[in-house]
Amino acid sequence: MSYNAQSMKTVLTQQEIYGLVAGDLVRVEDELKVYTRSSIEPISEIGRYLIDAGGKRVRPALLLLTARMLGGISDSTIRLAAVMEFIHNATLVHDDVIDGSDTRRGRPSANANWGNAMTVLAGDWLYMESFAVALGERNFDVLNTLIGITQKMVEGELLQLTLVGRKDVGDKHLLDIARRKTAHLFSGCMRLPAIVADGDPDSVEKLTRIGMNLGMSFQLVDDLLDLTSTKEAMGKPVASDLKEGKVTLPVYYALEQGTAEDRRMVELVLEERDFRSVKPEDILELVERADGVKRTRVLAADFARQAIRELETFPPTPYRDAIISIPEFIINRQM
Ligand code: IPE
Ligand code: IPE
Ligand code: MG
Ligand code: MG
């Protein structure tokens, strides 16, 4: 725990945040293991492989903290936390096929091990398993939320694909993509516990907004880390977005503010789909010169601040304070 003089708040560390739901998360892991059971070997193998590799488990942690902030958890909460992590894992296996990524969570990606065809089908199965579990809740609001989130994620990935290789992408487009592919899932992690707790419509919507803002901040930082971090820290390839033909927000700022020479360098990577004539360090240098890193961090912090402001309207509990501390962890994370 530490005191942030600027915000006059007590900020919980990552360990303290996760510590509050450590027991719940153990139960979530047990659920996840059950969901990967299939008599078809590649499915159980691929599912298990990804789950066993770990990951931050930030989505189930957020869902559990929200449920506890709202009054407590039930078996249903544990299942829904596992469902959200499971859907997230399904998107990761598909995303790595789409991006042609060879590493995930510090290991060869599923597509690197099993090939694209098997990985896509296993991803489909994981999605369906998530829905089958959620169906057990017998709650149309829950199902509706999950279907909406999944459609948004697919739309986000598709929109991103339509813009591959283009340098004339607007910041509105980039934020829209981030919202669909990542923020909606985060928003669901706060919406579902509110629905299950029979929250009034206003607080359901408020929690949905808070989760959305946390998710926006999370994806913007992910885009920054692709430029500034290392493969070892992230457990997945870095300097890969631009090489894959994707302009992200920090690079957008560089295209907007940079010199003609800067723009040419970005274009070269987009054309060559590789860091051949231009090196990742060159891109980071020109992005920093255009304040792209700083501006993206400021925007990520703005989304986080909006989330915090609305969180402060809930009665103070350790769970609320833990969620209020999540932005600090999101923004300063190294992985
Ligand atoms: C990766 O999510 C995909 C994005 C939305 C950026 P995480 O960074 O939460 O990945 P894991 O679950 O910790 O591996
Ligand atoms: C993250 O997209 C959103 C998903 C739907 C997985 P990214 O392509 O940025 O995710 P990473 O960087 O591969 O984890
Ligand atoms: Mg990717
Ligand atoms: Mg990324």
Side-chain angles (χ1 to χ4, degrees):
M1 217 177 283
S2 69
Y3 183 73
N4 183 322
Q6 207 188 348
S7 61
M8 298 188 298
K9 266 190 219 74
T10 303
V11 180
L12 278 72
T13 64
Q14 181 180 345
Q15 239 177 351
E16 289 166 332
I17 297 171
Y18 279 86
L20 283 173
V21 285
D24 302 337
L25 281 168
V26 171
R27 292 179 63 197
V28 168
E29 292 301 317
D30 292 341
E31 281 290 309
L32 288 169
K33 290 200 182 86
V34 175
Y35 302 170
T36 47
R37 270 186 215 146
S38 161
S39 55
I40 307 297
E41 201 158 78
I43 291 173
S44 52
E45 261 183 23
I46 295 175
R48 261 296 167 83
Y49 179 78
L50 203 67
I51 298 288
D52 287 350
K56 293 180 286 297
R57 303 293 197 247
V58 61
R59 295 160 191 80
L62 179 61
L63 191 146
L64 294 163
L65 287 167
T66 306
R68 288 205 173 268
M69 173 178 83
L70 296 176
I73 67 151
S74 61
D75 291 348
S76 169
T77 324
I78 299 290
R79 278 194 297 273
L80 289 174
V83 163
M84 293 312 253
E85 179 63 22
F86 218 63
I87 291 181
H88 166 57
N89 282 262
T91 73
L92 292 182
V93 301
H94 279 175
D95 184 67
D96 287 340
V97 170
I98 295 166
D99 294 345
S101 256
D102 60 5
T103 310
R104 175 65 69 180
R105 294 176 171 168
R107 295 187 186 187
S109 59
N111 43 306
N113 272 352
W114 284 274
N116 285 350
M118 274 206 212
T119 304
V120 167
L121 292 170
D124 290 344
W125 192 94
L126 298 178
Y127 271 124
M128 279 309 121
E129 177 69 10
S130 315
F131 282 99
V133 175
L135 192 61
E137 300 307 313
R138 301 279 179 265
N139 184 325
F140 281 127
D141 276 351
V142 167
L143 278 178
N144 212 9
T145 299
L146 290 176
I147 290 168
I149 288 168
T150 310
Q151 284 182 324
K152 288 282 184 290
M153 281 197 293
V154 175
E155 289 166 9
E157 293 272 285
L158 266 170
L159 270 174
Q160 184 162 272
L161 278 179
T162 64
L163 299 175
V164 159
R166 282 177 50 175
K167 59 174 194 310
D168 58 337
V169 189
D171 51 350
K172 294 251 171 353
H173 269 127
L174 295 174
L175 292 176
D176 182 40
I177 289 171
R179 190 173 297 279
R180 287 175 207 267
K181 73 174 186 177
T182 301
H184 277 277
L185 187 62
F186 272 78
S187 82
C189 292
M190 299 194 76
R191 184 182 178 88
L192 291 184
I195 293 174
V196 172
D198 275 329
D200 62 88
D202 280 353
S203 44
V204 172
E205 290 317 313
K206 193 200 280 182
L207 287 160
T208 306
R209 272 197 308 277
I210 297 173
M212 195 80 80
N213 284 326
L214 290 179
M216 288 302 286
S217 148
F218 189 87
Q219 182 61 47
L220 294 185
V221 172
D222 183 77
D223 293 345
L224 271 181
L225 290 170
D226 184 79
L227 288 169
T228 61
S229 187
T230 62
K231 184 170 181 171
E232 291 66 39
M234 294 296 280
K236 63 185 182 185
V238 291
S240 59
D241 289 337
L242 199 56
K243 195 168 76 175
E244 289 161 14
K246 295 187 233 155
V247 166
T248 54
L249 201 64
V251 176
Y252 162 83
Y253 289 132
L255 285 168
E256 190 196 47
Q257 296 281 320
T259 61
E261 167 78 1
D262 291 345
R263 275 193 290 279
R264 186 64 206 134
M265 282 170 65
V266 171
E267 273 169 39
L268 262 173
V269 184
L270 288 175
E271 279 162 22
E272 294 177 347
R273 287 293 158 82
D274 205 354
F275 284 103
R276 205 177 314 140
S277 318
V278 180
K279 297 279 157 266
E281 308 84 82
D282 302 330
I283 296 294
L284 179 59
E285 200 265 325
L286 66 87
V287 167
E288 273 181 334
R289 216 167 353 92
D291 265 349
V293 172
K294 203 159 117 203
R295 287 178 74 184
T296 308
R297 287 190 85 83
V298 166
L299 197 57
D302 278 350
F303 281 114
R305 229 185 331 271
Q306 288 179 53
I308 292 173
R309 207 184 46 229
E310 290 209 278
L311 276 163
E312 282 169 348
T313 62
F314 287 89
T317 61
Y319 303 109
R320 184 202 73 163
D321 291 345
I323 306 173
I324 288 181
S325 305
I326 285 181
E328 187 88 5
F329 151 59
I330 288 179
I331 289 175
N332 296 320
R333 71 197 165 101
Q334 302 299 326
M335 59 173 284

